């Protein structure tokens, strides 16, 4: 899919852009195939209290333009991204750092240009001081927003977004051909351990995933990370051993615009819960989706650290009688109709049609789908708060922990909180989880928050836990996928 925005790590929070960012940039840490944290650009990240971290960088790393990567490359990038005047989608990721509130106040202009909690102590060392301990902060540093940026970025940020300069294994090759492709090539001076075994990756953008699939089976496209749902029952026959099916840390939900007064009325919680109970997830997963997804019982997928079954309780169980009862008790659906918006250039039509059909038949509510031609168009309407009814919301983990599925989407003013859900008590519970001394304790509290969000508010309806249904052509080999649904691009080999 064509990325929603120019390629700037702090302003990319969707899959299309994320795939490119992940190849052009490398941060302090990442996760291996088994989701185990490991150091990348960092030589060490030390902390005794989960509040103050001392970072030491590996020497010799460079950006694609030859500039040396230094401690300032990280600190300056983070300060710029956090600053409210720069309006970055992922700015809220810096909220735990001391001084964030001065560079990103809730209202008005910034009162400072730099966060007090970031200090460069040498060319290759800097410290991070948080407002309070955060048990998963080292894991959070994996997310793209914590990428470093070269000095060239600040000279012309708009031009940089079209011609990004990273420090990763691949660099841009030529101009970005919008709606066609984004081409990369191997970066010869890359210092990471995962040096590419191929010459580069070309990211192709399709308006229809069926067209991409046709190119895959005819060896015109080498890797497809998600085959169309319509091919879920056929792709293994078409591709044989070149078909891949495995669970990953991703989900599919439908969300509601709580910034619309009608949807934010307290009694509409019952309506959303009723709509949820009208949906027969198990049957849709087995029939319309042919096993490409599992029925969800919460927001956090089963393969993610911190998952605890049954977060949704009875509200994710198919019960048409209770569904109608709840919808009626909540005063019915605003406007007497649900409109479900999704992007038609992804594998969404089958489940969206099936969900709407269930809402009509089992909930007694009119439901229509509103397919937007491209992911970009759908995301623009969502991020600019133009939604009036239900919309697709999918999430692929930024790091493999329950915290990422709850805090990033349901904390007040979180960057991916497209519903504008807000609840002070749940924010405080998440704060308590972040301050836990161990990840195990944090996971337990986040599971409690997840349960409260769904069973007391249900700003979005959990639908499915997603699978990677991928395939590759006869021209490549050694194709593997991680729990982020990312091919391990640097390991892919082109057959000779």
């Amino acid at each position: 899919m064509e990325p929603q925005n120019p390629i700037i790590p702090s302003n990319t929070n969707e899959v299309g852009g994320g795939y490119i960012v992940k190849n052009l940039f490398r941060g302090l840490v990442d996760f291996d195939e088994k989701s185990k944290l490991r150091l990348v650009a960092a030589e060490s990240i030390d902390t005794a209290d989960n509040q103050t971290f001392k970072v030491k960088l590996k020497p010799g790393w460079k950006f694609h333009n030859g500039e040396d990567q230094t401690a300032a490359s990280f600190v300056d990038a983070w300060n710029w991204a956090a600053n409210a005047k720069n309006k970055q989608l992922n700015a809220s990721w810096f909220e735990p750092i001391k001084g964030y509130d001065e560079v990103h106040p809730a209202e008005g202009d910034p009162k400072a240009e730099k966060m007090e909690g970031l200090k460069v102590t040498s060319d290759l060392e800097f410290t991070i001081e948080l407002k309070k301990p955060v048990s998963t902060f080292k894991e959070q540093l994996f997310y793209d927003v914590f990428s470093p940026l070269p000095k060239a970025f600040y000279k012309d940020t708009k031009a940089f977004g079209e011609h990004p300069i990273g420090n990763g294994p691949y660099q841009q090759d030529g101009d970005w051909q919008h709606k066609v492709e984004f081409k990369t090539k191997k970066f010869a001076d890359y210092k990471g351990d995962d040096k590419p075994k191929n010459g580069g990756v070309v990211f192709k953008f399709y308006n229809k995933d069926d067209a991409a699939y046709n190119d895959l089976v005819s060896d015109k496209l080498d890797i497809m990370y998600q085959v169309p749902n319509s091919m879920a029952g056929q792709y293994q026959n078409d591709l044989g051993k070149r078909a891949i099916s495995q669970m990953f840390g991703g989900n599919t939900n439908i969300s509601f615009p709580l910034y619309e007064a009608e949807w934010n009325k307290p009694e509409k919680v019952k309506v959303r819960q009723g709509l949820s109970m009208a949906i027969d997830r198990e049957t849709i997963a087995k029939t319309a989706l042919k096993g490409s997804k599992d029925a969800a019982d919460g927001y956090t997928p089963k393969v993610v650290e911190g998952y605890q079954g049954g977060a949704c309780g009875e509200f994710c169980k198919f019960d048409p009688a209770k569904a109608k009862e709840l919808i009626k008790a909540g005063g019915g659906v605003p406007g007497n109709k649900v409109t479900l918006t999704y992007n038609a250039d992804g594998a969404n039509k089958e489940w969206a049609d099936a969900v709407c059909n269930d809402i009509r038949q089992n909930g007694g509510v009119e439901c229509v789908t509103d397919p937007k031609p491209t992911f970009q168009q759908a995301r623009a309407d969502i991020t600019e708060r133009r939604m009036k009814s239900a919309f697709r919301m999918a999430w692929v983990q930024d790091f493999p922990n329950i915290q990422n599925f709850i805090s990033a989407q349901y904390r007040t003013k979180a960057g991916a909180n497209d519903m504008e859900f807000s609840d002070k008590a749940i924010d405080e519970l998440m704060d308590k989880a972040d301050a836990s001394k161990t990840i195990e304790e944090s996971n337990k509290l986040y599971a409690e928050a997840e349960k409260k969000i769904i069973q007391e508010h249900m700003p979005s309806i959990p639908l499915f836990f997603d699978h990677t249904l991928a395939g590759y052509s006869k021209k490549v080999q050694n194709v593997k996928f991680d729990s982020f649904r990312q091919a391990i691009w640097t390991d892919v080999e082109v057959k000779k």
Side-chain angles (χ1 to χ4, degrees):
M1 289 179 285
E2 172 92 355
Q4 181 189 6
N5 297 308
I7 304 299
I8 297 174
S10 55
N11 209 39
T12 300
N13 68 350
E14 40 75 32
V15 172
Y19 268 64
I20 295 174
V21 169
K22 280 276 189 298
N23 282 279
L24 298 184
F25 293 87
R26 283 291 184 268
L28 298 173
V29 300
D30 74 359
F31 292 88
D32 65 16
E33 286 180 62
K34 297 181 179 178
S35 296
K36 183 180 179 182
L37 189 70
R38 62 185 176 186
L39 298 173
V40 181
E43 185 170 288
S44 61
I45 303 175
D46 297 324
T47 182
D49 56 8
N50 286 329
Q51 184 165 7
T52 300
F53 298 80
K54 292 183 179 179
V55 179
K56 185 175 182 180
L57 302 176
K58 292 175 181 173
W61 280 57
K62 293 182 180 295
F63 288 97
H64 300 153
N65 62 353
E67 181 184 328
D68 290 338
Q69 173 190 278
T70 66
S73 307
F74 287 87
V75 169
D76 291 349
W78 299 3
N79 277 322
W80 186 90
N83 196 308
K85 67 183 180 185
N86 294 323
K87 298 179 180 177
Q88 296 297 282
L89 287 171
N90 298 324
S92 63
W93 279 79
F94 299 101
E95 192 276 337
I97 298 175
K98 187 176 182 181
Y100 174 81
D101 298 331
E102 279 66 45
V103 303
H104 201 119
E107 295 180 356
D109 295 329
K111 299 171 184 174
E113 291 294 315
K114 298 179 180 179
M115 289 182 279
E116 184 183 350
L118 298 178
K119 295 190 187 309
V120 174
T121 54
S122 76
D123 278 354
L124 296 178
E125 296 174 298
F126 65 100
T127 60
I128 309 165
E129 183 181 357
L130 307 183
K131 300 173 194 171
K132 52 193 175 185
V134 175
S135 56
T136 59
F137 188 72
K138 197 184 290 187
E139 283 78 5
Q140 293 183 36
L141 290 172
F142 167 72
Y143 189 44
D144 302 329
V145 72
F146 294 104
S147 299
L149 291 172
K151 293 175 183 175
F153 169 75
Y154 307 98
K155 293 178 181 175
D156 189 340
T157 57
K158 186 176 180 181
F160 184 95
E162 286 293 309
H163 295 91
I165 301 167
N167 64 340
Y170 298 101
Q171 64 184 108
Q172 187 177 10
D173 185 11
D175 293 337
W176 178 352
Q177 296 184 50
H178 287 278
K179 302 186 186 302
V180 179
E181 66 182 25
F182 186 101
K183 194 173 181 181
T184 73
K185 61 182 179 182
K186 181 179 179 178
F187 175 42
D189 286 337
Y190 177 59
K191 300 301 180 184
D193 294 333
D194 56 335
K195 292 180 174 54
K197 298 176 181 175
N198 53 69
V201 181
V202 180
F203 295 91
K204 291 186 172 291
F205 312 130
Y206 290 85
N207 288 327
K208 296 288 185 182
D209 53 6
D210 288 338
Y213 184 77
N214 289 336
D215 279 357
L216 176 69
V217 296
S218 58
D219 293 326
K220 296 176 182 175
L221 178 69
D222 284 324
I223 298 174
M224 189 173 185
Y225 70 84
Q226 194 71 28
V227 304
N229 284 333
S230 59
M231 290 291 114
Q234 176 64 29
Y235 84 113
Q236 291 178 322
N237 292 332
D238 290 342
L239 300 174
K241 293 182 179 179
R242 293 180 286 113
I244 294 174
S245 176
Q246 62 187 55
M247 294 183 71
F248 76 99
N251 64 23
T252 299
N253 304 322
I254 53 175
S255 298
F256 296 85
L258 302 189
Y259 48 83
E260 287 289 319
E262 284 297 313
W263 277 112
N264 199 31
K265 289 180 177 178
E267 62 268 26
K268 298 308 173 189
V269 174
K270 290 183 179 178
V271 173
R272 294 190 290 272
Q273 291 171 337
L275 293 173
S276 177
M277 298 187 78
I279 301 167
D280 186 354
R281 297 165 178 76
E282 297 281 355
T283 298
I284 293 173
K286 290 177 183 174
T287 56
L289 301 179
K290 299 179 175 62
S292 63
K293 300 177 187 287
D294 285 348
D297 62 353
Y299 297 139
T300 307
K302 294 177 181 177
V303 295
V304 173
E305 180 184 43
Y307 164 80
Q308 293 188 23
C312 192
E314 66 171 325
F315 300 115
C316 284
K317 294 179 180 175
F318 179 50
D319 187 337
K322 186 72 179 288
K324 290 173 182 171
E325 180 184 321
L326 283 168
I327 293 169
K328 183 178 180 181
V333 170
N336 296 316
K337 182 172 75 174
V338 170
T339 300
L340 175 54
T341 298
Y342 66 92
N343 56 297
D345 55 353
N348 300 309
K349 184 179 187 306
E350 288 78 7
W351 70 258
D353 286 346
V355 164
C356 242
N357 187 53
D358 272 8
I359 289 174
R360 278 193 302 270
Q361 291 193 359
N362 307 316
V365 173
E366 177 60 17
C367 182
V368 297
T369 58
D370 176 28
K372 300 296 183 185
T374 67
F375 179 72
Q376 267 189 323
Q377 288 172 277
R379 285 300 302 166
D381 285 348
I382 292 167
T383 55
E384 293 173 17
R385 305 298 189 250
R386 293 197 289 259
M387 306 310 299
K388 302 294 182 185
S389 189
F391 56 94
R392 167 189 177 262
M393 190 168 81
W395 189 253
V396 178
Q397 62 189 7
D398 302 309
F399 61 98
N401 182 273
I402 184 175
Q403 196 264 11
N404 184 235
F405 283 83
I406 306 304
S407 181
Q409 293 182 290
Y410 300 100
R411 187 185 289 275
T412 300
K413 295 188 181 301
N417 185 346
D418 292 326
M419 306 141 289
E420 295 199 358
F421 170 69
S422 178
D423 184 87
K424 185 179 178 182
I426 289 174
D427 285 345
E428 290 173 350
L429 183 56
M430 289 192 271
D431 288 344
K432 186 178 177 183
D434 287 340
S436 300
K437 291 183 179 179
T438 66
I439 285 185
E440 290 75 17
E441 185 181 345
S442 171
N443 292 343
K444 186 176 178 182
L445 291 170
Y446 265 110
E448 184 180 336
E450 179 182 15
K451 190 173 180 180
K452 284 181 175 290
I453 293 168
I454 299 175
Q455 297 194 20
E456 297 177 12
H457 304 276
M458 196 167 272
S460 63
I461 295 175
L463 286 181
F464 306 108
F465 296 147
D466 297 344
H467 288 205
T468 297
L469 295 184
Y472 56 94
S473 76
K474 297 173 183 172
K475 296 179 179 178
V476 294
Q477 61 188 8
N478 199 32
V479 180
K480 296 171 289 185
F481 282 78
D482 60 20
S483 67
F484 296 85
R485 200 174 57 173
Q486 281 266 2
I488 302 175
W489 302 102
T490 52
D491 279 356
V492 176
E493 298 170 352
V494 179
K495 292 181 179 178
K496 296 180 181 177

